[in-house]
Amino acid sequence: MQRRESGQRRKLRVLNAYGGPCCTCCGETCLTMLAIDHVNNNGAEHRNEINGGLGRNKSVEMYCWLEENNFPEGFQVLCYNCNISKHRNGGKCGHQLDEGPTTMAKASSLQAIGKRSTGRPKRAKI
Ligand SMILES: [Zn+2]
Ligand SMILES: [Zn+2]
């Protein structure tokens, strides 16, 4: 009886095919943090297509599919942080957004709001 190949090894092989086990965006190398990301943001639709609603471990199916299809283009290695950030920011990870001083301005204005509200405490109605 042949032992079933571990999903982790397949994952590593797939990641290696897409530039190595390293986040394309931030360089994260922790294997459990890494995943294959659809460059064009159609991940959910595509995964449904592959699975056909089988309800099995989706990420494992995904690596299987990629390997069977000779690692098609349009995918990249991203860590979960960058993945989530990318989807939240409409296709661009927060690391890629050139916020620069805007971030500081936002932070300080938030602080200002905080100070203002504490400086003017609401009186409880009697
Ligand atoms: Zn990352
Ligand atoms: Zn990132």
Side-chain angles (χ1 to χ4, degrees):
M1 202 172 104
Q2 213 179 348
R3 222 182 133 218
R4 255 199 97 179
E5 190 180 31
S6 83
Q8 204 73 338
R9 274 181 63 187
R10 177 186 288 125
K11 180 178 177 177
L12 191 59
R13 218 162 41 227
V14 173
L15 296 183
N16 273 322
Y18 286 100
C22 175
C23 176
T24 312
C25 176
C26 73
E28 173 65 59
T29 54
C30 181
L31 193 59
T32 52
M33 287 287 288
L34 300 172
I36 290 291
D37 175 66
H38 278 69
V39 175
N40 297 321
N41 285 325
N42 58 349
E45 284 164 42
H46 194 223
R47 268 196 290 273
N48 285 339
E49 209 177 286
I50 298 164
N51 283 305
L54 286 172
R56 283 165 65 193
N57 188 324
K58 290 185 180 179
S59 57
V60 171
E61 292 289 317
M62 181 74 187
Y63 297 122
C64 220
W65 184 89
L66 288 167
E67 203 165 48
E68 278 167 13
N69 287 274
N70 286 314
F71 311 112
E73 280 183 35
F75 299 89
Q76 63 186 347
V77 181
L78 277 188
C79 71
Y80 284 114
N81 281 338
C82 293
N83 221 312
I84 290 164
S85 182
K86 182 187 157 189
H87 287 276
R88 289 236 174 117
N89 292 307
K92 239 184 174 185
C93 172
H95 291 132
Q96 314 278 333
L97 297 172
D98 188 23
E99 283 182 293
T102 329
T103 318
M104 295 302 289
K106 267 184 213 159
S108 57
S109 68
L110 276 175
Q111 265 175 6
I113 292 162
K115 269 177 202 157
R116 224 183 306 156
S117 62
T118 49
R120 260 196 306 170
K122 277 185 183 172
R123 298 242 170 201
K125 280 182 187 167
I126 305 160

